[in-house]
Structures are given as structure tokens and as C-alpha cells.
Amino acid sequence: GTPVELGCEAEGRPPPLLSWFRGVTVLREEPVSTQLRLVLPRVEPEHAGAYSCVAENRHGRHNRSLQLHVA
């Protein structure tokens, strides 16, 4: 039931589109940004799972993933 904040940062030219995903579902995205925060205000067991941050521009795409475990 406590809040969790996930952060993601990326740089590029042109600036990337940053997106947070849970599985294949887009949770939040921000065009032309260097950072993107995803706040889960009250984490419950159903929030557990794989989350990914994706940075993409016309030159390519990079991602980082994490596994959120809720006790």
C-alpha cells in the first residue's frame, strides 16, 4: 500500500520518446524528454510484474526492464 516511483533517463539527438510499459501495455509516455517518472501511488500485489522503459528516436531504440516484487 505504499508508493513506488520508477525513474528512466535517456539522451539522444533528436531527443527520444520515452515510454513506460508493463508487458505490452503503455503506462506513460513523454515525447522529447530526457527523463520520465512512473509513480505507483499505492502498490498492491497485482502491481507485481515486469516493467520496461523504452527510449526511441529515428536512430534506434533502447530499453531497460525491471521486475517488481510486492511482499
Side-chain angles (χ1 to χ4, degrees):
T2 59
V4 170
E5 182 176 313
L6 306 177
C8 181
E9 295 183 24
E11 294 181 12
R13 286 195 177 85
L17 166 68
L18 291 177
S19 305
W20 271 108
F21 289 84
R22 182 170 180 211
V24 296
T25 303
V26 177
L27 301 176
R28 184 159 186 232
E29 62 183 12
E30 188 70 37
V32 191
S33 179
T34 60
Q35 60 182 316
L36 182 62
R37 304 278 177 234
L38 177 65
V39 177
L40 305 173
R42 288 183 46 93
V43 175
E44 302 293 338
E46 60 267 15
H47 293 115
Y51 290 80
S52 299
C53 178
V54 177
E56 185 172 16
N57 67 15
R58 69 177 180 238
H59 299 293
R61 174 183 176 127
H62 290 278
N63 68 355
R64 292 284 186 247
S65 298
L66 64 93
Q67 188 73 31
L68 180 65
H69 299 275
V70 180

